[in-house]
């Protein structure tokens, strides 16, 4: 298992670092705080600029080794990108677009044209969750009323990011028989209404209502549609774990800077041994999580070698660790900043808000640990029992 970055990945990391220099990073961080008293037009321009830069770097290319043209980036490359973007509190359509691209690629060659356009900058938002009890999970998409004969769907979806800016909506849901369906929908189609959620992270998440909304194209998910979606979700979890690792690194960096600047009793608070040890322990934990995420990415690129269950286990473990670490590191940043950290002038509250939301995005740590426990029990049960002579 290789966890050290390759020469290409180091070059990609350097290119992203040069793009996300301090001025751009500050713009992206502030984009993560949508004030309820201001407009969002400037944020859209920043998101468009960042996405175009990522396109120019070749990031939105297919996140599968089996890309149609053989040039797709694997998960090992994409976790490098996700960690860098997490450190600046990136909000945008790249995560959903990559997940949609992976699902489209798994559906065969029917959507190669859309995959090519995604590589050129087309964006996709995922509509998977509902606001019904238990509907926020992504492992089992919420129910939908689908009518393939008429080419329409009806239902509700919640927490859809940037639905007004996406070029396509990818709607997933189960019918009354429990079969999973996936459809591409135009965000401006008739019978589709949306409203903006007010949530802790103050991002741009929308609730969508579909009423006999026409479908642009149905995806053929094959006989085992649930397994296909779960395999796609595993890749998304690995990338999200990397993004949360970046959130942790950004919050830790902010904490260290504040510990150097904030003074008590005539000297920086970072000189206090108790605080210095807390920061050192957090730094070690964040580095450890980064290694776990890279190991999960290595396995996710080799499902035929390590097995689908191993990929699922590693993805859930990495995300649970990364989510818990992000929340703890962001909380530490708030404590080190004191009352100032709760004001809009401080970036500490931005990290705290985003960590609170992002740590639940693809499963809460408690849900993930439950999945891990089930997978480990199944693995133990499958082991051959020793023969007692």
């Amino acid at each position: 298992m290789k966890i050290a970055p390759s020469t290409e990945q180091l070059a990609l990391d350097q290119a992203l670092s040069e793009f996300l220099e301090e001025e751009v990073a500050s713009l992206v961080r502030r984009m993560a705080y949508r004030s309820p008293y201001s407009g969002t037009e400037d944020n859209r321009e920043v998101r468009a600029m960042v996405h175009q830069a990522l396109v120019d770097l070749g990031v939105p290319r297919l996140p599968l080794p089996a890309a149609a043209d053989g040039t797709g980036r694997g998960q090992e490359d994409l976790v490098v990108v996700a960690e860098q973007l997490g450190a600046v509190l990136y909000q945008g359509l790249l995560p959903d677009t990559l997940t949609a691209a992976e699902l489209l690629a798994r559906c065969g060659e029917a959507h190669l044209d859309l995959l090519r356009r995604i590589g050129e900058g087309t964006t996709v938002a995922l509509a998977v969750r509902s606001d019904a009890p238990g509907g926020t999970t992504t492992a089992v998409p919420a129910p939908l009323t689908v009518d393939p004969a008429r080419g329409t769907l009806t239902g509700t979806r919640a927490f859809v990011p940037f639905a007004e800016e996406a070029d396509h909506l990818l709607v997933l849901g189960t019918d009354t028989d429990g079969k999973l369906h996936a459809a591409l929908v135009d965000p401006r189609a008739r019978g589709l209404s949306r409203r903006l959620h007010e949530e802790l992270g103050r991002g741009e998440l929308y609730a969508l209502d579909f009423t006999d909304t026409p479908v642009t194209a149905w995806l053929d998910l094959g006989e085992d549609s649930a397994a296909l979606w779960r395999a796609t979700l595993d890749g998304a979890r690995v990338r999200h774990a990397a993004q949360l690792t970046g959130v942790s690194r950004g919050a830790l960096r902010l904490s260290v800077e504040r510990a150097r600047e904030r003074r008590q009793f005539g000297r920086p608070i970072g000189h206090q041994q108790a605080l210095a040890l807390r920061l050192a322990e957090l730094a070690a934990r964040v580095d450890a999580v980064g290694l776990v995420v890279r190991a999960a990415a290595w396995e996710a690129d080799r499902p035929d070698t390590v097995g689908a269950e191993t990929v699922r286990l590693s993805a859930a473990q990495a995300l649970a660790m990364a989510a818990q670490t992000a929340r703890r590191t962001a909380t530490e940043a708030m404590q080190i900043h004191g009352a100032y950290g709760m004001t809009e002038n401080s970036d500490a509250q931005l990290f705290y808000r985003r960590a609170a939301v992002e740590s639940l995005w693809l499963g809460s740590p408690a849900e993930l640990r439950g999945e891990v426990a089930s997978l480990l029990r199944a693995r133990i049960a499958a082991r051959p029992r020793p023969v007692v002579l």
Side-chain angles (χ1 to χ4, degrees):
M1 180 183 297
K2 182 181 74 68
I3 56 177
S6 66
T7 303
E8 182 185 5
Q9 289 157 9
L10 288 173
L12 178 60
D13 186 69
Q14 180 63 29
L16 277 168
S17 296
E18 292 174 357
F19 168 66
L20 294 170
E21 47 87 22
E22 185 53 38
E23 184 176 349
V24 175
S26 178
L27 281 174
V28 176
R29 274 198 304 271
R30 282 289 144 180
M31 186 175 65
Y33 185 77
R34 181 188 57 81
S35 171
Y37 308 110
S38 65
T40 59
E41 291 303 319
D42 291 343
N43 287 350
R44 292 187 183 188
E45 293 178 5
V46 175
R47 278 192 291 272
M49 176 194 71
V50 172
H51 192 80
Q52 185 57 51
L54 295 172
V55 168
D56 293 340
L57 288 171
V59 172
R61 288 183 298 181
L62 193 59
L64 281 176
D69 58 359
T71 61
R73 293 195 181 278
Q75 305 296 354
E76 290 181 274
D77 290 349
L78 291 173
V79 295
V80 173
V81 178
E83 188 170 318
Q84 282 266 15
L85 295 178
V88 295
L89 296 182
Y90 167 83
Q91 281 188 287
L93 283 161
L94 180 66
D96 275 16
T97 300
L98 290 175
T99 302
E102 188 168 350
L103 184 63
L104 289 165
R106 293 178 185 275
C107 293
E109 299 183 356
H111 305 285
L112 289 182
D113 181 62
L114 178 55
L115 288 171
R116 177 186 57 78
R117 286 186 280 121
I118 285 174
E120 296 172 353
T122 294
T123 56
V124 184
L126 289 179
V128 183
R129 305 167 180 84
S130 76
D131 55 5
T136 56
T137 181
T138 51
V140 182
L144 272 178
T145 301
V146 298
D147 189 342
R150 296 178 56 208
T152 63
L153 58 84
T154 299
T156 61
R157 285 293 177 268
F159 312 113
V160 181
F162 309 104
E164 287 192 344
E165 301 173 33
D167 297 310
H168 301 277
L169 297 174
L170 179 54
V171 188
L172 287 94
T174 53
D175 60 18
T176 53
D177 296 327
K179 182 180 179 181
L180 181 63
H181 296 266
L184 288 168
V185 176
D186 187 331
R188 292 154 288 279
R190 63 171 174 79
L192 171 58
S193 61
R194 55 181 173 259
R195 62 177 176 81
L196 187 65
H197 285 295
E198 290 295 339
E199 42 91 11
L200 175 65
R202 289 190 179 171
E204 292 195 32
L205 302 177
Y206 289 83
L208 305 182
D209 288 314
F210 300 93
T211 306
D212 285 329
T213 304
V215 171
T216 304
W218 297 98
L219 274 62
D220 183 4
L221 301 181
E223 293 296 324
D224 196 351
S225 56
L228 187 71
W229 169 241
R230 283 309 306 257
T232 304
L233 180 61
D234 292 337
R237 282 179 165 179
V238 171
R239 295 190 296 273
H240 195 62
Q243 185 171 340
L244 284 167
T245 304
V247 172
S248 296
R249 292 196 191 281
L252 180 62
R253 189 179 303 121
L254 196 68
S255 299
V256 171
E257 292 172 358
R258 183 62 175 173
R260 288 172 178 165
E261 296 169 356
R262 187 179 176 188
R263 302 178 71 86
Q264 286 182 347
F265 307 109
R267 63 176 186 169
I269 62 173
H271 288 185
Q272 298 174 13
Q273 188 179 50
L275 178 57
L277 290 175
R278 278 160 56 193
L279 290 173
E281 189 268 338
L282 276 178
R285 183 178 293 272
V286 172
D287 285 343
V289 170
L291 293 175
V292 170
V293 172
R294 288 186 181 277
W298 185 91
E299 292 180 342
D301 280 338
R302 296 159 181 83
D304 294 336
T305 302
V306 302
E309 291 301 316
T310 297
V311 173
R312 183 165 302 167
L313 176 63
S314 298
Q317 288 174 324
L319 183 53
M321 292 178 64
Q324 192 168 14
T325 302
R327 296 192 69 155
R328 180 178 172 185
T329 310
T331 300
E332 193 73 44
M334 286 286 287
Q335 292 175 348
I336 290 174
H337 279 72
Y340 173 71
M342 294 184 286
T343 66
E344 291 192 13
N345 293 328
S346 171
D347 286 346
Q349 52 91 17
L350 298 181
F351 280 95
Y352 186 82
R353 288 176 180 276
R354 293 315 310 168
V357 173
E358 299 293 342
S359 63
L360 305 175
W361 192 242
L362 295 180
S364 70
E367 292 170 339
L368 292 166
R369 285 194 292 269
E371 287 188 34
V372 168
S374 297
L375 290 168
L376 288 175
R377 282 196 298 268
R379 176 174 291 187
I380 293 171
R383 288 178 180 173
R385 301 189 176 216
V387 177
V388 179
L389 298 178

